[in-house]
Amino acid sequence: MFSADSSTRDCGGQAVMMLGGELDVMDAATVAAMLSAGAAGGSVVIVDLPRLTFLGASGLAALMLAREHARAAGGEFLLAAPRRQALLVLTATRLADVLPVHACVDDAARMAEQSRAAAPVTTRAGLPAVI
């Protein structure tokens, strides 16, 4: 039985994926695949969490895997509006230091836009471009 639910929407050109229900061992692989696929394009992925009622260790692993895929593709992976339980888990595991957590989707989108605007221009080799 699938205990987590998800939906995707656009917020100013950034993918917003909402997770709800329980993200545990039963659903972690499915959610990881969905989040990783969304992150593969190198864009900003914001995971909206206000409907997520449970976040287990497997769910944390799914989030970290998706973050790695996003970063490898040159994108960003942000969390928005986690409920108290999810925020406590993220904080206790110190993953809140690694996965940027924002109060709401708009805050996450604004921060992503600011960091993209401030990012240096690089060449194909990954070296700073001389302008």
Side-chain angles (χ1 to χ4, degrees):
M1 178 175 185
F2 192 72
S3 59
D5 60 48
S6 64
S7 63
T8 304
R9 65 182 171 92
D10 182 83
C11 177
Q14 300 166 344
V16 177
M17 298 179 171
M18 178 171 277
L19 294 180
E22 299 180 1
L23 182 50
D24 55 18
V25 70
M26 299 286 291
D27 304 313
T30 302
V31 170
M34 178 200 62
L35 292 174
S36 293
S43 62
V44 174
V45 175
I46 300 169
V47 183
D48 197 15
L49 301 173
R51 293 185 4 221
L52 190 69
T53 58
F54 178 81
L55 179 60
S58 297
L60 290 172
L63 294 175
M64 289 301 296
L65 179 64
R67 176 191 178 268
E68 292 307 314
H69 283 126
R71 292 179 58 92
E76 292 186 60
F77 188 82
L78 310 166
L79 303 179
R83 293 175 90 164
R84 181 174 166 77
Q85 186 275 340
L87 187 56
L88 286 173
V89 170
L90 289 164
T91 303
T93 59
R94 301 198 62 173
L95 290 178
D97 297 339
V98 177
L99 293 166
V101 179
H102 300 276
C104 64
V105 169
D106 290 339
D107 286 352
R110 192 171 21 263
M111 288 302 292
E113 192 62 38
Q114 288 173 356
S115 69
R116 290 234 171 201
V121 177
T122 59
T123 65
R124 281 187 164 178
L127 302 171
V130 178
I131 300 176

